[in-house]
Amino acid sequence: MNEFKPKNNDGNIAFGFIILGIGIILLLRKAGVFIPGWVTTWPMILIAIGTFAIIKHEFKSFFGFVLLFLGAYFLLRNEFDFDFGLSQYIWPLGLIALGIYLIFQKQRENKVLENVRRDWESKRQANTGYSKTYVEEAKVVGENEPSSSFAQGAKSTSGFTRTTGTAFSDRLNIDAIFSGVNRKLMTKNFEGGKITAAFGGIDLDLTSADFNGVITIQVDIIFGGVKMVVPPHWDIRTEITNIAAGIEDKRYFREGGVDPNKVVVLKGTILFGGLEIKSF
């Protein structure tokens, strides 16, 4: 099993320094020390949160860049009268940026699924029993439907998602933007992945998934919620930054405790949202 090594940049410590800095600034202002007024305005909060998210996620946080841009724009407009003529275009530009992000994200997802399909085909041809596992899982889900249709689907496609919300891919890649997503993952080779909820919600059922070792799930939530149902013996570890948000672990633990060979590391940022972890 791969050894779990937490990242050195602890999100709670960094966010603690941000709160400490805000407190010091407010104290200095009360003591009569000159602090520019724009330092304590609400756009600076967006700038601080966006900068923090970008640095924490190694300059790969889409929401971090969005918050940084919005904070900088409103700060320059409100405090320095630099409008740049963008007032009437700010929301259309935001929607365009979101659309471009979703398009490129879908292209990356298709590439991942294509790689999974090729890997599955190679393993099937090598008679490793990999395809048998997919067909058996499909039969369990579709016991009220002809099993031949599931077998044909397993032979022709890997990483597919049925209209019922059941997915047979090894990696998660879920985006809920102004919408809700229900997903049940069926795989015995779970590799982690990413889930993003922006003004939406995700219900994720992982009770039929299995793996060995350490996997990572990137969780980014802004004004949304995610409910994750996992087996009670999984070792769930969080490196998530909470900003006006909450994480609830409602799992029922077994007497045997957690399995050290099944470690799930949750990383990401929750802004004005929530994450709920449950088990049956």
Side-chain angles (χ1 to χ4, degrees):
M1 183 187 75
N2 296 329
E3 182 181 358
F4 170 72
K5 297 181 179 180
K7 299 178 77 173
N8 293 327
N9 56 332
D10 192 298
N12 293 330
I13 294 177
F15 188 61
F17 276 110
I18 293 178
I19 299 299
L20 177 62
I22 294 174
I24 292 175
I25 291 175
L26 294 177
L27 179 62
L28 292 176
R29 290 196 65 181
K30 292 295 183 180
V33 179
F34 173 74
I35 300 292
W38 56 267
V39 174
T40 56
T41 58
W42 66 265
M44 282 299 299
I45 298 177
L46 297 182
I47 293 175
I49 296 174
T51 302
F52 172 67
I54 291 171
I55 295 176
K56 179 173 175 59
H57 299 299
E58 300 175 350
F59 297 89
K60 297 179 181 179
S61 174
F62 171 75
F63 291 113
F65 281 108
V66 171
L67 292 177
L68 180 60
F69 170 76
L70 291 176
Y73 169 75
F74 286 111
L75 178 66
L76 292 175
R77 189 194 70 173
N78 297 344
E79 303 298 329
F80 301 98
D81 295 327
F82 291 149
D83 189 14
F84 304 107
L86 295 179
S87 296
Q88 58 182 332
Y89 304 113
I90 188 68
W91 293 114
L93 289 174
L95 293 176
I96 291 173
L98 178 60
I100 293 175
Y101 168 77
L102 294 176
I103 292 173
F104 280 100
Q105 185 61 41
K106 187 62 178 179
Q107 290 179 346
R108 286 195 293 268
E109 177 183 351
N110 292 336
K111 290 180 180 179
V112 171
L113 294 181
E114 179 63 22
N115 292 334
V116 172
R117 185 191 66 80
R118 291 177 180 175
D119 181 63
W120 178 79
E121 287 290 346
S122 63
K123 290 182 178 181
R124 183 178 66 86
Q125 295 175 1
N127 297 322
T128 60
Y130 191 75
S131 61
K132 182 179 178 181
T133 301
Y134 269 83
V135 174
E136 288 178 351
E137 293 291 345
K139 288 181 179 178
V140 171
V141 177
E143 55 187 6
N144 296 325
E145 299 183 33
S147 60
S148 60
S149 63
F150 287 94
Q152 180 65 29
K155 290 179 181 179
S156 60
T157 309
S158 176
F160 63 93
T161 302
R162 303 184 64 230
T163 55
T164 58
T166 303
F168 294 88
S169 59
D170 293 338
R171 291 191 60 83
L172 288 172
N173 200 331
I174 305 175
D175 292 311
I177 312 296
F178 294 99
S179 63
V181 175
N182 289 301
R183 188 67 48 85
K184 181 180 179 67
L185 195 66
M186 305 286 293
T187 177
K188 300 304 180 184
N189 188 33
F190 186 34
E191 299 177 355
K194 62 172 277 308
I195 54 179
T196 301
F199 300 93
I202 298 175
D203 286 336
L204 177 61
D205 187 350
L206 298 174
T207 54
S208 297
D210 197 12
F211 70 99
N212 285 301
V214 179
I215 62 173
T216 300
I217 301 179
Q218 178 77 22
V219 181
D220 291 309
I221 304 172
I222 177 171
F223 293 99
V226 172
K227 182 172 72 174
M228 186 181 302
V229 184
V230 302
H233 62 283
W234 283 9
D235 186 359
I236 308 295
R237 308 183 185 184
T238 61
E239 292 184 3
I240 295 178
T241 302
N242 303 328
I243 304 173
I247 299 178
E248 294 185 273
D249 193 340
K250 298 182 177 180
R251 291 177 294 160
Y252 294 99
F253 295 95
R254 303 186 308 177
E255 293 182 359
V258 297
D259 188 344
N261 295 317
K262 301 182 186 299
V263 179
V264 180
V265 182
L266 302 179
K267 300 182 179 181
T269 303
I270 303 178
L271 174 64
F272 297 105
L275 171 63
E276 180 180 336
I277 306 172
K278 299 178 63 176
S279 65
F280 296 122

